[in-house]
Amino acid sequence: MSDVVTLERHGAIAVVRVNNPPVNALGIAVREGLQNSFNAAEADPAVKAIVLVCEGSTFMAGADIKEFGKPPKSPGLPEVVNGIEAGTKPSVAVIHGTALGGGLEVAVSCHYRIALKSAKVGLPEVKLGLLPGAGGTQRLPRLVGVAKALDMIVSGDPISASEALELGVVDALIEGDLTAAGIAYAEQLLAEGKGARRTGERTDKLDGVDNAAAVAAKRAEVSKKTPGLFSPQRCVSAVEAAFTLPLAEGLKRERELFGECLVSPQRAALVHAFFSERQASKIDDLPKDTPVREINRAGVIGGGTMGVGIAICFANAGIPVKILEISSEARDKALERARDTYGMSVKRGSLTEDALEKRMALISGITDYADLNDVDVVVEAVFEDMGVKQKVFEALDANCKPGAILASNTSSLDLNAIAAFTKRPEDVVGLHFFSPANVMRLLEVVRGAKTSFEVLATAMAIGKKLKKVSVPVGVCDGFVGNRMVFQYGRESEFLLEEGGTPDQIDGVLRKFGLAMGPFAMRDLSGLDIGLAIRTRQRQTLPAEFKLPTILDKMAEAGMLGQKTGKGFYLYEKGSRAPLTNPELPAILEAASKQQGIERRQLTDEYIIERTIYALINEGAKILEEGIAQRSSDIDVIYLNGYGFPAHQGGPMFYADSIGLDRVYARICEFHQQHGAWWKPAPLLEKLAKEGRKFADL
Ligand code: 3H9
């Protein structure tokens, strides 16, 4: 039928086979192929039933996301799936891997579905700022009921094949060869005299249930949980049409709502986030044939929160890991910490006792560097002090086997200097985890001046094994994420001196979409964090680079945030809920007075510009210096490590969407008003003047 969809006949059974690597996305060639194949099978009198099966690692993973935003090509997916459902011969979709989005919509337009036990099905469109636009919002409720369909469509999370079986999304679980299982199932249907069974014609799961209540509850939940997002409310409206309108009109309503999502800026940002994450793992200058070393055993130096979090990441990936501590007491404490961390997951119900024991069995404690002689990678997570790092890396150099990767988790020190403590700087790389390391997805893979390609490729592979989003970065103070967040933190503190309050600034940035505002974040991490860095900066920075003082004054007064129950907010014992700190207004007044600033009311727009544009300007400098490979890598770092809202695409995408000329003009004004920190990045100036975007680079 075409290069990507073929039609075969096995007796009375037609087999439609899709082969469009890597994920059988439903691009135009697949849509055409499907339509032609199903039509041909329908027209062939020798065919009595049709089986749809996919080659490769997965069933269809959805519409081809690359086609969004381009002129649509006919046939569209809705037309294709409506045609499949309308067929008079029973059709069977055979699901393996993941049937997602348009893929599941094709499957539910087939009359029967069977799946491998390992398969998953879902409608993840909402994660791309969309809703299922090829009948998913009308057909899924007819299979599983409105409440469950709302859960699946609004969360976008897939379900397992066994749950799909229980819910009635699939009819049977199969094993072995997909085509053979599909043919056998179709033959059985024919033998039992079963014919076409159209999902769209069913109403049994819609009748006799208070669907309106389910819709109202989901609407309220969405308003509370994701107030700034465009597509979730529209997902709810589309599902509502499944029981308030006849099928044809419901499908029409779904199309209208899908169209609204398609043109929304949030859809563009979320699709950018999706592709950027995949792009980030690609290293431009890495030779294709670079070998990757095997990683079977790991070591971690330091059993503090960070070290233990990193050890847990290895254990979770099934890799045995040794934690080295300086004393047997510290070693035992580290193991206890690991057990406690797992214990919390057991309490929450996300881990079984059995799994806890299995993972703990992979973690051991040691006190002697000689015991690291068999590890393939070791990650240092000790105190951020060059003297301490020197001792650790000299010991690693002396004890680790040749070919072992020596990684540092440093967040601020010079990796090249650390590498120079060893006789094998080519084996040294940075693996910068974010706290808590076992939870946060981001991993900055820091590439030293002498890090070999092989070590870099292996470090990226380790990140993948640990299920991290790994982004390669170069060496500089703070690498990408922390270097940028420093600018953001500083500006938010300056805003306090100008007249803002923590409540107001946090509120504006939360409304922008950030998971947490800068002051709640400060309270969480502790106001003493970075004190040493700020003291060092005050001593070394030229006089025109002033730093705000509020943070240090509060830290000196013992207001360290959550750990002392008092910081920018007040916390009652045992609670993390921020309350107003009554001492703060006087502190803010005094700080403004000391700077000779008359406090004033700040607008939301101004707060966003001062904080987010500070990120953008620094991001442009980072790009220009080659510390990040591409602007989208910076976005990936911000989205996965700093709670930047995915629907804004990341700071660099956000800048592009506003227009670099506008951003540059504002940064020039800030430079005039607020001095040296705001010197515009030359790259930003150049792109703005040329009318280009970061994405054009
Ligand atoms: C939709 O269906 C709308 C409809 O309701 C209505 C239409 C009218 N398109 O993630 P991986 C690429 S919206 C194009 O690394 P994994 C990906 O970029 C869609 N390309 O693999 C990468 O390319 P490269 C709803 C796609 O094994 C390669 O495939 N569906 C698409 O870790 C491998 O991807 C979704 O949202 C696509 N749909 O995970 C599902 N999907 O090698 C999105 C992937 O050049 N996809 N690529 O970097 C996924 O969740 C994961 O890719 C999947 C595989 C779980 C399938």
Side-chain angles (χ1 to χ4, degrees), residues 22-23 25 61-66 68 77-78 98 100-102 105 124-125 128 130-134 255 258 274-275 278 282:
V23 297
D64 187 338
I65 304 169
K66 292 192 187 89
F68 294 156
L77 195 56
T98 44
L100 297 177
E105 290 174 303
E125 285 87 342
L128 297 172
L130 288 168
L131 53 88
R255 278 316 286 166
F258 181 80
F274 177 86
F275 282 121
R278 278 138 189 95
K282 299 181 174 98

Side-chain angles (χ1 to χ4, degrees), residues 210-237:
D210 191 352
N211 293 320
V215 163
K218 192 53 88 179
R219 262 200 213 299
E221 184 191 311
V222 167
S223 302
K224 196 163 164 233
K225 280 198 190 156
T226 49
L229 294 190
F230 188 82
S231 68
Q233 287 290 6
R234 281 156 185 84
C235 288
V236 180
S237 300

Side-chain angles (χ1 to χ4, degrees), residues 122 169 261 314 458 461 495 613 696:
V169 181
C261 292
F314 280 104
T458 309
L495 290 174
Y613 289 11
D696 297 334

